[in-house]
Amino acid sequence: MCPMTDESEQRREIGHDEYDPVGTLALITVYFLIIALLWVFMYFVEFLGNEPTVVGTFLTVVGLA
Amino acid sequence: MSNAYIDDFPAEAKLVRTAFYSSFLALALGGVFGIIQTLHRTGYYRFIDSADYYTVLTAHGVFLVISFTIFFLVGVFTWAITTSLDRGVEDLRFTWGWYGLMAIGITLSGVAILAGFTDATDISASVLFTFYAPLQAHPMFYLGLVLFVVGTWLAGADWFRSWWAWKQENPDARIPLPTFMVLTTMLMWYIATLGVAAAILLFLLPWSLGLVDSVNPLLTRTLFWFFGHPVVYFWLMPAYMMWYIMLPKVSGGKLFSDPLARVVFVLFLILSVPTGIHHQYLDPGIAEGFKFIAMTNTMFLLLPSLLTAFTVVASMEHGARQRGGEGYFGWLTALPWRDPVFTGMALAGLMFAAAGFSGMINAGMNINYLVHNTFWVVGHFHLTVGTAVALTFMAVTYWFLPQITGRALWSRSVALGQVVLWFVGMTFMSNAMHRGGLLGVPRRTAEPQYDGFEFEAAVGSMGELQAQIALGGILLTLSLVLFFANVFGTALNGRSDELPANEYAGTLSGPEDAPLVLDNLKLWTAIAVVLVIFAYTFPLLSIVDRGGLFGPDINPLPVSLETVHLLAFVLESHATGALESIAWLGVSR
Amino acid sequence: MRISKAGLLVVLALLAPLLVELRTVLSWVNVELTVLETAVVGAALVVVILVWAFLPENGDGKTAEGDASSEN
Ligand code: HEM
Ligand SMILES: [Cu+2]
């Protein structure tokens, strides 16, 4: 049993120039899509579903009830 | 004889080991308080008095995010400096000196916190890890924190000293990547800790000693967050270091790009501090414009995080392809999932990606209003510091333990079970915390239940959320038990001669591809300081201008019962006075 | 086996976040599951994954490629 996973399981050597990280691209695209979808979802649920929040040009002072 | 760290640097290995064990002790204590408060606030098992809840929560927060994380950091950084410069520390006595200072400091603070549980002394420090005034702790608590932080400063000095000595001998060489990461992180830490140092030494400690009567709470809060945001990167940077230099190696590949890694650390040095006000979006007394600047800086901080996501995933993919992985997603199956070091770090990274979303919600000034001070925030940081950092630390511990003890790991299977269990437990706990927060469930509350009011869940029920949190907390606690079993089991093993060598990942694109200017630490520090001055001068001036350096008279808490009665009496007479005059007005109309 | 034991463990773990949020997703299309129903769906999925994982490979040997990690 090898104590660590290292060279022992390496099947080939891929140098800087042959390496094309398409899998990374694929994963990050998926992540980006999820984030974008959640963002849209956030808008519907949290803004359309709730009363207006207190951000604004005039009414920023606390205590205007 | 093997080539493990302990073989090359036996004296340093002892220090790293001591730092790690200190860190694990804090983790154990923090974990115990964690499960107590989880069961308490969800209502499943309440055996402490709710009045002691803040003492429990302070212990949980301080032990986990101050002692667990930072002791681990000093261990990792000492390992990184000595390994990557290939030289021992310059002066072992100095090294033990800063460790000792940190240990004494945290012991003082810890005793002050735990003393809050007994009435035998009037020492207490139930001020939570943010120690906002008017919550007031015994002076011992603040003093301990000061000593602890000074200890970390000296540790940084120790690492800089090693680098300078190395530079004399290697005048033209590039700074090795791990050393570069340590140095930039420490520069950030020096700038950041000026905030807490000022808050404690100028205001909170004198106030707690009775030398000054009052403080300006908004000022000390702002100084706290000056430090409070960058401290999250102080937790995160050792984890990032592990993702950059260990994860590629355990995946069977190389780091995709050394220059990109340097850029990321430089960006953190520059951008970490001038963002702290994003924790104060709801503080009255800070103008919206300043908050907006903090928000903009925060959004820029997404950049180094996205760069990290790319570099780290690309490095893993490199490993997977060298191990024979194919396809757009198929390579994922070629990763070494059997290895707890790998799986733990990969799952930690995955949870960090989820935290990226809740963090974006927190960072937006307007959306923040929705989740501020709710359980959502607690859900968020159990994904970041509680998993991305803590799980990475636990996972790499399985690599470090043999290196620093010279003993083989007790059980790899238990280790694998442990990291997976943490992932599952945290999924349950953190998800329900986020959801609870959206319903308005407050954080830092012993009994979040109110007469005549019910939280209403859109899907499922409040009770289900509570159950989910309790279940998650129990799984996490079990996971901790497995972790400690492995730490003890390994310590009890005999010395092994077949340990893996002390190595970190090579690079596909090395330092020779990095522009020289990246190594110009003076330049980056100067830029960081300028940005901090821009971001903080005006807010601080206006806070002092309005509230005074020592603030309007505030009443420190905890207050004794007599003061409460007095306070109630004063309030009551004011109120009746006011009512009478209103009535009088009404009559006279 | 079609997947390494460790890989199987991780796949099962990844099921947790999916199941937890499945209820929310389904509620958009007006399917409201109780906890018990969710647990049943979860158990069913676990069984499906287990059956798939333990099915013998159809002799083409291709899927064994990704199995590198099971050997150590
Ligand atoms: C056994 C595992 C854990 C459990 C069951 C747990 C549970 C909890 C709960 C329920 C709270 C919220 C209490 C409240 O707001 O009323 C909390 C707060 C917190 N937890 Fe944890 N936690 C665990 C692990 C961790 C870890 C590993 C870290 C960091 C490394 C961490 C850091 C924190 C911090 C900083 C707070 C906020 C304290 C405050 O509001 O002052 N926790 N934890
Ligand atoms: Cu922050």
Side-chain angles (χ1 to χ4, degrees), chain A:
Chain A
M1 190 178 133
C2 77
M4 275 309 279
T5 48
D6 45 22
E7 293 350 38
S8 52
E9 284 167 18
Q10 186 172 330
R11 306 188 173 191
R12 58 188 170 207
E13 175 82 35
I14 302 178
H16 182 264
D17 297 328
E18 306 101 74
Y19 178 46
D20 188 11
V22 284
T24 304
L25 185 71
L27 270 193
I28 291 195
T29 310
V30 169
Y31 178 60
F32 182 78
L33 287 179
I34 295 175
I35 289 276
L37 270 177
L38 281 174
W39 191 255
V40 173
F41 173 59
M42 184 272 304
Y43 177 78
F44 281 100
V45 172
E46 305 307 342
F47 281 106
L48 298 190
N50 283 305
E51 301 292 301
T53 47
V54 283
V55 187
T57 336
F58 299 112
L59 299 180
T60 46
V61 188
V62 183
L64 272 185

Side-chain angles (χ1 to χ4, degrees), chain B residues 73 75-81 84 176-185 233 235-248 255 261 264-265 308 312 345 392-393 396 400 504-505:
Chain B
L73 172 143
V76 170
F77 279 11
T78 303
W79 165 84
I81 289 277
S84 68
L177 185 60
T179 300
F180 183 86
M181 292 169 162
V182 170
L183 300 182
T184 42
T185 305
Y233 291 107
W235 305 328
L236 211 50
M237 289 303 102
Y240 269 34
M241 177 196 271
M242 294 295 110
W243 295 353
Y244 277 106
I245 70 176
M246 295 305 298
L247 192 56
L255 174 60
V264 166
F265 276 74
T308 300
V312 170
M345 283 201 267
T392 299
F393 285 2
V396 291
F400 273 113
Y504 55 90

Side-chain angles (χ1 to χ4, degrees), chain B residues 131-144:
Chain B
F131 43 93
Y132 293 148
L135 292 182
Q136 193 185 54
H138 188 271
M140 197 161 101
F141 172 79
Y142 302 111
L143 194 72

Side-chain angles (χ1 to χ4, degrees), chain B residues 323-324 326 333-338 343 347 350 412 416-417 420 423-424 427-428 431 435 458-461 464 468, chain C residues 3-4 6-7 9-10 12-14 16-18 20-21 23-24 27 32-35 65-70 72:
Chain B
R323 293 162 59 96
E326 300 288 346
T333 58
L335 287 167
W337 297 107
R338 174 74 187 83
T343 302
L347 292 177
L350 186 63
R412 254 166 51 110
L416 185 65
V420 171
F423 175 84
V424 174
T427 300
F428 283 117
N431 172 273
R435 291 199 158 279
V459 181
S461 69
E464 288 167 23
Q468 204 182 310
Chain C
I3 186 175
S4 66
L9 183 66
V10 172
L12 291 178
L14 289 177
L18 285 182
V20 168
E21 278 304 309
R23 296 173 77 196
T24 324
S27 78
E32 308 222 339
L33 296 185
T34 61
V35 178
E65 203 70 29
D67 216 15
S69 57
S70 64
N72 59 350

Side-chain angles (χ1 to χ4, degrees), chain B residues 324-399:
Chain B
E326 300 288 346
Y328 279 102
F329 296 103
W331 57 276
L332 288 168
T333 58
L335 287 167
W337 297 107
R338 174 74 187 83
D339 181 357
V341 183
F342 171 81
T343 302
M345 283 201 267
L347 292 177
L350 186 63
M351 289 219 132
F352 195 53
F357 177 71
S358 56
M360 278 153 72
I361 297 285
N362 301 341
M365 227 168 108
N366 45 1
I367 320 170
N368 180 281
Y369 289 8
L370 197 77
V371 295
H372 201 92
N373 268 342
T374 66
F375 225 20
W376 167 285
V377 177
V378 184
H380 167 73
F381 62 65
H382 279 89
L383 291 182
T384 55
V385 67
T387 300
V389 174
L391 185 54
T392 299
F393 285 2
M394 291 189 272
V396 291
T397 296
Y398 298 131
W399 183 83

Side-chain angles (χ1 to χ4, degrees), chain C residues 1-4 8 47-57:
Chain C
M1 263 180 85
R2 290 167 172 253
I3 186 175
S4 66
L8 181 60
V47 171
V48 170
I49 291 178
L50 285 179
V51 167
W52 169 82
F54 283 100
L55 270 185
E57 291 161 43

